[in-house]
Amino acid sequence: MTALQRRIFGIETEYGLTCVAPDGTRRLTPDDAARFLFRKVVQWGKSSNVFLANGSRLYLDVGSHPEYATCECDNFRDAIAHERAGDAILHQMALEAEDTMRSEGIDGKVFLFKNNTDSAGNSYGCHENYLVGRGGDFADIARFLVPFFITRQLIVGAGKVVQTGKGAHFAVSQRADHMWDGVSSATTRSRPIINTRDEPHADAELYRRMHVIVGDSSMSQTTNLLKIATTHGLLCFLEERRTMRDFTMENPVKAIREIALDPTGRTPVRLANGTTATALEIQWEYCNAVTAHAAEAGTHDGLMSRALDLWRRTLNAIETQQFGTVNTEIDWVLKKAILDRAAAKHGMDLDDPRMAQLDMAYHDINRSRGLYNLLERQGLVERVVRDLDVFEAKSVPPQTTRAKLRGDFIRRAKEARRMDRFIPPSRPEIGTDVVGQSPRRFDRCRICTLNRKIDRRAGQPDHPGQLAPGKKFGGDCVKSPHDLRWLAELSQLS
């Protein structure tokens, strides 16, 4: 078995959705907000489950989560551009939904969050897809992949303020607490790190599709590059049957949770052979192996070279706890810096509700409101692709994969107004169960609850119209526009 010289990549992103009134209370249920969000899509596509002219897929997933699945890409630059195009497309849909709502007398703002957890503890995903060769036993490769993915959160996690029995802590990953297995065919009931659903969308005798569901959604382009490129590099290493130290863990589920709560990477994890290793040690082993193989194979150039350099710099930064060399490139480092500045300036602890509000605002995809996007607009973060690349990716598919043919079909169908012939296979109706699972729901309005706590600390009354504690909400809310300006001021971004 030899490494694939041309690998296909794809990323699926689910978004949190809510609609709020000017006073910060919920304006519409998620189902109603989703109907406004997808109204124009349904008008031209005859469905809320459509392919787009750029070859990607857009649909409404269970629990009223908009989902965007990129088209097939065969290079890192295209993969990142098309992933960011999803944000741009959903952002435009949100603005159009607000216009439609206003025309119908509904005063509300639509918020889309590119994060991975809601206030009730449910998780929605960011799934990565990699084409791999069919030769050999996949279990042999998975044995080395699982420890890599368990510890990869240390370099590509999105970061999160989590509440534990011992108080609030900063975790490097949002998804870690929601993984329940190493490798399996489940996706919701027993969510694994690697899903074995084998749908290669290619010659099944030659290829398989590796479906990775452990990763966090990345706001940072460079974090996204690091996530895809390091996984690709490791696959190349393993496909050539190279060997390295076996880091199979005694309890993968316990390990991934313990690692998430330690930004230093030094918590020892017990391995199946009775020894221990830290996440930092494990990542260094993988980094050195992949880097050496890339140099030997002659693939140590371009964006791959940039990703390998970032890998080493990130591990060095974690090792020394000096993050100046990566504080514009790694999501959880960026977020933690925002939280640390806010804490120092305003004397807040992590359990202050304003910290959780900052945490969520980091993931708002609105170009003029989200904290990460404010950093990007001010040139305070590194990028991989330009705005022009993202703009083009919204409507133009990659020209070197099957996405070109699909995109051309959709474009011609739209021109002929015959989209009914190109609707993807139907998915379950919103609100129905999937394989016996209840739909994922936002069971409490996290931000409304945070708003009340903030106002009470400031001696202000509750917002009028907020629901009583314990009553179920349909989505996470944010505060009104003046409070959004407060968020920017609090994080020293404006």
Side-chain angles (χ1 to χ4, degrees):
M1 183 177 180
T2 58
L4 291 182
Q5 297 303 308
R6 178 170 172 262
R7 195 180 306 281
I8 304 297
F9 311 96
I11 301 175
E12 307 163 28
T13 305
E14 296 180 36
Y15 297 82
L17 168 66
T18 190
C19 177
V20 299
D23 64 0
T25 59
R26 188 187 72 176
R27 185 66 179 87
L28 296 174
T29 67
D31 284 355
D32 289 337
R35 291 188 184 97
F36 277 103
L37 188 70
F38 277 80
R39 180 175 292 185
K40 288 192 175 182
V41 173
V42 173
Q43 287 174 353
W44 65 257
K46 315 302 181 186
S47 173
S48 61
N49 175 19
V50 298
F51 285 118
L52 305 177
N54 69 353
S56 300
R57 184 182 175 195
L58 173 69
Y59 59 98
L60 196 60
D61 206 353
V62 177
S64 297
H65 288 289
E67 181 161 351
Y68 175 85
T70 70
C71 51
E72 302 89 335
C73 302
D74 62 1
N75 64 77
F76 304 139
R77 192 175 301 277
D78 278 354
I80 292 168
H82 279 271
E83 193 267 352
R84 287 302 297 265
D87 294 353
I89 290 169
L90 267 296
H91 177 217
Q92 184 62 36
M93 289 170 59
L95 296 179
E96 292 173 352
E98 290 175 357
D99 289 341
T100 303
M101 288 161 52
R102 277 193 294 271
S103 71
E104 298 183 10
I106 300 173
D107 188 9
K109 287 190 175 294
V110 175
F111 289 81
L112 288 163
F113 297 100
K114 191 180 178 184
N115 62 352
N116 299 109
T117 55
D118 68 13
S119 54
N122 300 313
S123 180
Y124 38 99
C126 175
H127 300 173
E128 305 154 55
N129 298 283
Y130 301 86
L131 189 72
V132 298
R134 177 67 67 179
D137 187 350
F138 183 70
D140 292 337
I141 292 180
R143 179 165 57 97
F144 294 99
L145 286 170
V146 171
F148 169 73
F149 287 130
I150 288 174
T151 56
R152 189 187 65 167
Q153 59 180 306
L154 193 61
I155 59 172
V156 299
K160 182 187 178 184
V161 176
V162 297
Q163 299 291 336
T164 71
K166 298 181 180 179
H169 297 274
F170 183 84
V172 297
S173 171
Q174 299 192 6
R175 289 279 279 176
D177 282 346
H178 303 274
M179 295 294 112
W180 295 99
D181 207 344
V183 182
S184 83
S185 60
T187 57
T188 54
R189 287 173 295 179
S190 180
R191 193 177 286 114
I193 292 167
I194 301 175
N195 175 259
T196 55
R197 179 195 305 163
D198 194 357
E199 299 172 353
H201 303 302
D203 187 337
E205 294 185 0
L206 299 177
Y207 304 104
R208 70 167 69 239
R209 176 168 65 108
M210 185 177 75
H211 191 56
V212 181
I213 66 177
V214 70
D216 291 357
S217 296
S218 299
M219 296 298 295
S220 163
Q221 294 183 19
T222 45
T223 300
N224 221 355
L225 170 65
L226 185 60
K227 177 165 50 179
I228 301 168
T230 55
T231 304
H232 165 68
L234 180 58
L235 285 171
C236 290
F237 175 87
L238 296 173
E239 285 171 340
E240 293 192 356
R241 300 192 183 283
R242 303 295 182 98
T243 60
M244 60 183 297
R245 181 180 171 188
D246 187 352
F247 289 105
T248 301
M249 297 175 184
E250 182 178 83
N251 189 332
V253 174
K254 179 182 178 183
I256 198 170
R257 286 159 171 69
E258 291 177 344
I259 291 169
L261 290 172
D262 179 16
T264 71
R266 297 186 180 278
T267 297
V269 175
R270 189 165 185 81
L271 306 182
N273 62 13
T275 64
T276 62
T278 67
L280 193 58
E281 291 169 345
I282 294 171
Q283 275 295 307
W284 269 120
E285 288 272 355
Y286 281 107
C287 179
N288 291 332
V290 171
T291 301
H293 176 261
E296 179 184 331
T299 58
H300 201 298
D301 59 2
L303 286 181
M304 187 66 190
S305 178
R306 181 177 175 181
L308 292 175
D309 174 67
L310 178 56
W311 196 356
R312 300 188 71 86
R313 285 190 288 114
T314 304
L315 293 177
N316 276 319
I318 294 169
E319 196 164 53
T320 62
Q321 290 293 287
Q322 300 295 319
F323 294 98
T325 59
V326 296
N327 62 359
T328 60
E329 298 170 280
I330 300 300
D331 263 322
W332 75 260
V333 175
L334 282 159
K335 181 187 286 186
K336 190 172 187 297
I338 292 174
L339 297 174
D340 288 347
R341 284 199 300 270
K345 182 176 181 180
H346 298 276
M348 298 186 298
D349 296 323
L350 276 179
D351 59 359
D352 191 297
R354 291 173 292 178
M355 299 293 262
Q357 196 170 12
L358 280 171
D359 186 345
M360 180 165 287
Y362 181 87
H363 298 276
D364 187 341
I365 68 170
N366 186 287
R367 293 285 293 170
S368 61
R369 190 173 58 210
L371 293 189
Y372 177 82
N373 286 323
L374 289 174
L375 289 170
E376 187 173 81
R377 287 173 58 196
Q378 295 178 18
L380 299 176
V381 295
E382 295 293 326
R383 304 181 63 164
V384 177
V385 297
R386 305 166 300 166
D387 284 340
L388 181 61
D389 299 320
V390 176
F391 178 79
E392 181 176 303
K394 289 172 61 178
S395 57
V396 180
Q399 301 297 292
T400 52
T401 71
R402 63 192 295 168
K404 172 176 169 49
L405 182 60
R406 183 188 307 119
D408 289 346
F409 271 150
I410 299 303
R411 177 177 54 81
R412 293 294 296 275
K414 291 181 70 175
E415 290 171 356
R417 299 183 180 181
R418 295 300 301 272
M419 279 305 298
D420 56 308
R421 294 177 178 240
F422 298 102
I423 297 172
S426 62
R427 294 179 63 84
E429 291 297 323
I430 302 170
T432 59
D433 288 356
V434 177
V435 200
Q437 280 293 105
S438 298
R440 294 188 299 272
R441 285 285 182 184
F442 291 104
D443 288 335
R444 285 183 56 82
C445 179
R446 176 184 178 189
I447 297 303
C448 278
T449 302
L450 292 172
N451 291 345
R452 286 196 296 271
K453 291 181 180 178
I454 292 170
D455 290 342
R456 286 168 182 165
R457 288 195 180 193
Q460 299 175 5
D462 288 352
H463 289 302
Q466 287 186 326
L467 301 183
K471 183 165 182 177
K472 290 190 176 182
F473 287 75
D476 287 321
C477 296
V478 299
K479 289 179 75 70
S480 56
H482 75 274
D483 295 307
L484 294 171
R485 290 194 295 272
W486 170 82
L487 282 175
E489 187 276 330
L490 181 60
S491 57
Q492 296 182 337
L493 295 178
S494 66

